[in-house]
Amino acid sequence: MAMAINDRTAEFRSIVNETKRRQNTKPGAQRLLNDVQRRDANGEGRPKRSEFARKAAEVGRGISGTMAKLEKLAQLAKKKTLFDDRPVEINELTFIIKQDLSALNEEIRGLQALSKRLHPKPDQEGENNKNILLLLQGKLGDVSANFKDVLEIRTKNIQASRSRTEAFVSSVGQHAHASLQQSASPLYGTPSRGTPSPAADLISLNPMGDQQLQLQMMEEGQNTYIQQRGQAIEAIESTINELGSIFGQLAAMVSEQSEMIERIDANTEDVVDNVEGAQKELLKYWSRVSGNRWLLAKMFGVLTYTLNTGAQIPAIGLGTWQSAPGQVKEAVIHALKSGYRLIDAAYCYGNEDEVGQGIAAAFSQGIIKSRSEIFVVSKVWATYTTRCELGLDKSLKALGLDYVDLYLVHWPLLMNPEGNDDRFPKLPDGSRDIIWGHNHVDTWKQMERLVATGKTRAIGVCNYSKLYLEQLLPYATIIPAVNQIENHPALPQQEIVDLCKSKGIHIMAYSPLGSTGGPLFQAEPVIKIAKKHNVGPASVLLSYHYPRGSTVLAKSTTPSRIEENINTLIELDQEDIALLDEYSNNLVREGKVQRFVYPPFGVKFGFPDKP
């Protein structure tokens, strides 16, 4: 039988406290324990155990306590006395141990349920919990077996005690009967029923009746004792039956665990085989697609480029210029749901509030989880180029954001900030109200100060020609991160693109399709490439910008087109690129390039096609 483990922690702590008290009464006495050791002794600083570990420890302590009670019961049950002098204590211990075993069995079942709930899938901690459960079940099984053995010993002792008692009573009765028969004293004579004669004047006593009365009382006491013993035996037999039931449950649990382990082993073997097969297939697939960078980018996320600030900007974004009022919010939501992560906005477009509503809805619907997942662009309009921070504040308020990722100078000019319209002030003759003599470099200096406010993460320009960039760069403390220009095969603007690349300025292309139903959709090389890749002309024109290293803005409010624009991008091969470059070069040589966006400002911005 396993020995009980005595917990002497309290005794140890009392000794430590007494030693500490004595040291405090003696000035200058050296401490036996330092602070770290004292905290360890008090149980401080230990890592908090898990719920399963705490409950398992409680079950272990319960098993140890039950073992101690069982040891005491065994000592009492093994006594072989003529009369059972402690039946109540034995019965109480038997009842308590039986209750403890039942409670511990339930607690182990609760631990099994807790382990399954915390670890529904096989893992290392779950396997450790299973081992602990098997150990506890084994310990409990040992205690139950010992309890059964003790009860059997107790039953045998009761039967032996009953036999000895019956033999003792029988011998005492026989001895008393023999003694009465051998006595010749007249005092013990049986009186006659008639009237005694005067000569027979003797005192008549009846001691025989008294002894019989004593023997009868003794027999009644023994009968009561035997009844109690019979009841005790019945209780023991009932307990043994219950223990048999517990053993049956434990056996069923062990059988279930064995079956589960066998299933896990079989499943593990199947999983290993499946994983090995999947690895082989993935390696084959990887060998086929590893050379296709465009396909890999579409497989593993949105293509991005690195700006000169170190930030990542997506290769494709949703444009919102000229989007119909009331449709922008849903367009933004659908774009973000479809995989877009760049939204291009501007104060001039007059729909930044709808853009903000779409972004907020995407957050509430769980389409995007954090602000860092999206790249938002806005622009300072020409009526605010002397009040750049005020223009940015208005855009942030409309967008419902604390900052934008990129803030651009929309056009390098100044319109009358006190004119007759906040966005498009006009003179009486209907022309734009321009403030002549404004230097766009001064606007850029204001833009540079905005970076320190944290309201924008990067700054850049829009619609800057090679001439205007050459005027700006010598005075720029911060090199523009982006130059957003109209760009497509019919307007390559190669001299601007080349200059920006040499200075680390990223190109962002707007109006990549030219115009709806425009000549680009009927251009021979565009149609030829589209047929070759089995896509539409729009997919070719959007994909044109990837080999050029540019971000492209695809504007649409139609859900199907929003999806098509991002899902049908292709990687153009060298033959495709050569066809489109030849088409562009011919237009440049013949002076037939086409610019589809050029507001009537009346300002010369230095574009070769707009002298």
Side-chain angles (χ1 to χ4, degrees):
M1 182 186 301
M3 296 299 293
I5 300 174
N6 295 327
D7 186 358
R8 303 187 65 184
T9 304
E11 181 181 353
F12 172 74
R13 287 182 178 175
S14 65
I15 294 172
V16 172
N17 291 334
E18 179 64 20
T19 304
K20 181 179 178 181
R21 185 184 64 78
R22 290 178 181 177
Q23 287 179 342
N24 291 336
T25 57
K26 296 179 181 180
Q30 184 178 3
R31 293 185 177 182
L32 293 177
L33 301 175
N34 58 32
D35 293 340
V36 176
Q37 293 172 332
R38 188 169 64 257
R39 284 197 300 270
D40 292 340
N42 292 331
E44 301 175 4
R46 297 176 183 172
K48 188 175 180 181
R49 295 188 295 179
S50 64
E51 181 181 1
F52 180 89
R54 292 196 303 273
K55 291 188 177 181
E58 292 176 2
V59 173
R61 289 193 292 271
I63 292 175
S64 298
T66 304
M67 290 171 62
K69 296 173 187 175
L70 182 58
E71 183 178 359
K72 185 175 181 181
L73 177 63
Q75 294 174 355
L76 294 174
K78 290 179 180 178
K79 290 182 179 180
K80 296 182 179 179
T81 58
L82 180 61
F83 298 104
D84 189 4
D85 55 345
R86 306 180 75 176
V88 175
E89 184 176 358
I90 292 175
N91 290 340
E92 287 179 351
L93 271 177
T94 302
F95 177 77
I96 291 172
I97 293 173
K98 182 168 65 174
Q99 294 295 321
D100 287 350
L101 290 175
S102 178
L104 289 170
N105 191 35
E106 290 298 325
E107 290 179 8
I108 290 177
R109 286 183 180 177
L111 277 178
Q112 286 181 320
L114 176 61
S115 179
K116 290 179 180 178
R117 178 167 58 83
L118 295 178
H119 306 282
K121 296 181 178 179
D123 56 17
Q124 185 174 0
E125 186 175 354
E127 291 298 324
N128 185 43
N129 291 349
K130 289 180 182 178
N131 293 334
I132 293 174
L133 284 170
L134 291 175
L135 178 62
L136 291 175
Q137 290 170 353
K139 291 291 185 182
L140 184 60
D142 292 341
V143 174
S144 301
N146 292 335
F147 185 38
K148 184 176 180 181
D149 294 340
V150 170
L151 292 180
E152 290 177 351
I153 293 172
R154 172 67 174 161
T155 302
K156 292 178 180 179
N157 287 345
I158 289 175
Q159 293 173 347
S161 177
R162 182 188 300 172
S163 299
R164 289 194 300 272
T165 302
E166 291 175 350
F168 172 75
V169 171
S170 177
S171 64
V172 170
Q174 292 174 0
H175 178 70
H177 185 64
S179 299
L180 291 172
Q181 289 178 345
Q182 294 173 2
S183 176
S185 172
L187 293 175
Y188 295 95
T190 302
S192 60
R193 291 194 176 270
T195 302
S197 62
D201 189 10
L202 298 173
I203 299 176
S204 178
L205 299 176
N206 194 4
M208 186 65 179
D210 293 339
Q211 277 194 345
Q212 289 177 348
L213 180 62
Q214 292 175 359
L215 289 173
Q216 183 179 358
M217 293 176 63
M218 183 179 294
E219 290 177 357
E220 290 177 354
Q222 288 300 319
N223 290 335
T224 303
Y225 171 78
I226 291 170
Q227 290 177 357
Q228 293 177 349
R229 286 302 177 208
Q231 293 174 356
I233 292 172
E234 291 177 357
I236 292 172
E237 291 176 348
S238 175
T239 302
I240 291 174
N241 291 332
E242 292 181 4
L243 285 174
S245 175
I246 292 175
F247 276 121
Q249 293 175 2
L250 288 174
M253 291 167 60
V254 172
S255 176
E256 290 177 1
Q257 292 290 338
S258 299
E259 293 176 359
M260 183 180 297
I261 291 172
E262 291 176 359
R263 289 197 301 269
I264 291 173
D265 290 341
N267 292 337
T268 302
E269 293 176 358
D270 293 340
V271 169
V272 170
D273 293 338
N274 293 336
V275 169
E276 290 177 351
Q279 287 176 340
K280 293 178 181 178
E281 293 300 321
L282 284 174
L283 289 174
K284 293 178 182 177
Y285 184 69
W286 179 258
S287 65
R288 292 198 301 267
V289 304
S290 57
N292 191 335
R293 183 183 172 192
W294 181 262
L295 178 59
L296 289 177
K298 291 178 70 176
M299 288 168 56
F300 297 110
V302 179
L303 276 171
T304 60
Y305 299 105
T306 303
L307 300 178
N308 58 19
T309 62
Q312 298 293 312
I313 183 171
I316 186 170
L318 178 72
T320 59
W321 179 53
Q322 290 185 334
S323 294
Q327 299 180 3
V328 180
K329 174 184 174 182
E330 294 302 322
V332 170
I333 296 173
H334 196 77
L336 293 173
K337 190 182 298 183
S338 301
Y340 290 78
R341 287 299 177 264
L342 186 153
I343 307 297
D344 180 70
Y347 179 74
C348 170
Y349 301 164
N351 56 18
E352 283 187 314
D353 55 343
E354 289 191 56
V355 173
Q357 293 167 13
I359 293 173
F363 273 111
S364 64
Q365 295 176 22
I367 299 171
I368 49 177
K369 302 296 188 297
S370 67
R371 172 65 178 84
S372 60
E373 292 182 30
I374 56 174
F375 195 100
V376 181
V377 182
S378 187
K379 309 173 189 72
V380 60
W381 183 234
T383 52
Y384 286 88
T385 48
T386 56
R387 303 170 296 165
C388 294
E389 187 168 5
L390 176 59
L392 177 55
D393 289 340
K394 284 193 171 187
S395 290
L396 290 175
K397 182 178 180 181
L399 292 167
L401 300 176
D402 297 326
Y403 69 92
V404 292
D405 298 274
L406 179 64
Y407 197 50
L408 306 175
V409 179
H410 208 148
W411 285 91
L413 79 157
L414 172 64
M415 289 198 293
N416 189 356
E418 298 178 357
N420 55 14
D421 189 82
D422 186 51
R423 289 184 173 86
F424 299 100
K426 295 181 180 180
L427 296 173
D429 61 359
S431 61
R432 301 289 171 88
D433 190 356
I434 306 296
I435 303 297
W436 303 98
H438 172 72
N439 190 344
H440 64 94
V441 175
D442 296 335
T443 299
W444 184 251
K445 289 300 179 182
Q446 289 189 50
M447 295 287 286
E448 290 179 331
R449 290 194 290 271
L450 291 179
V451 177
T453 67
K455 297 176 182 179
T456 180
R457 299 294 172 86
I459 54 176
V461 295
C462 291
N463 303 299
Y464 264 58
S465 64
K466 182 174 182 290
L467 174 64
Y468 269 58
L469 279 175
E470 289 174 342
Q471 292 174 358
L472 173 64
L473 291 176
Y475 301 97
T477 303
I478 299 176
I479 301 299
V482 167
N483 183 15
Q484 186 180 122
I485 59 173
E486 181 181 348
N487 198 218
H488 44 72
L491 188 66
Q493 300 203 80
Q494 200 60 46
E495 62 174 4
I496 302 173
V497 173
D498 292 341
L499 175 61
C500 288
K501 284 186 176 181
S502 68
K503 300 299 181 181
I505 302 172
H506 185 66
I507 292 294
M508 184 182 293
Y510 68 80
S511 296
L513 307 181
S515 61
T516 303
L520 283 174
F521 282 78
Q522 284 77 41
E524 182 180 349
V526 174
I527 295 175
K528 182 178 180 180
I529 296 171
K531 289 181 179 180
K532 173 183 175 180
H533 294 278
N534 196 26
V535 294
S539 299
V540 176
L541 293 171
L542 293 173
S543 303
Y544 163 77
H545 298 276
Y546 173 67
R548 292 168 67 86
S550 304
T551 292
V552 60
L553 300 176
K555 174 259 173 181
S556 181
T557 57
T558 304
S560 60
R561 289 182 182 174
I562 290 173
E563 295 176 13
E564 181 181 355
N565 287 340
I566 193 171
N567 291 332
T568 61
L569 295 175
I570 58 175
E571 184 179 23
L572 302 178
D573 57 32
Q574 292 300 319
E575 181 183 1
D576 302 330
I577 296 171
L579 280 174
L580 293 173
D581 287 345
E582 182 181 4
Y583 172 76
S584 298
N585 294 334
N586 289 336
L587 292 178
V588 172
R589 280 195 301 269
E590 296 171 3
K592 294 181 180 180
V593 295
Q594 289 181 292
R595 185 181 296 270
F596 298 98
V597 180
Y598 198 74
F601 293 121
V603 178
K604 294 182 178 180
F605 294 110
F607 296 115
D609 58 302
K610 297 289 183 180

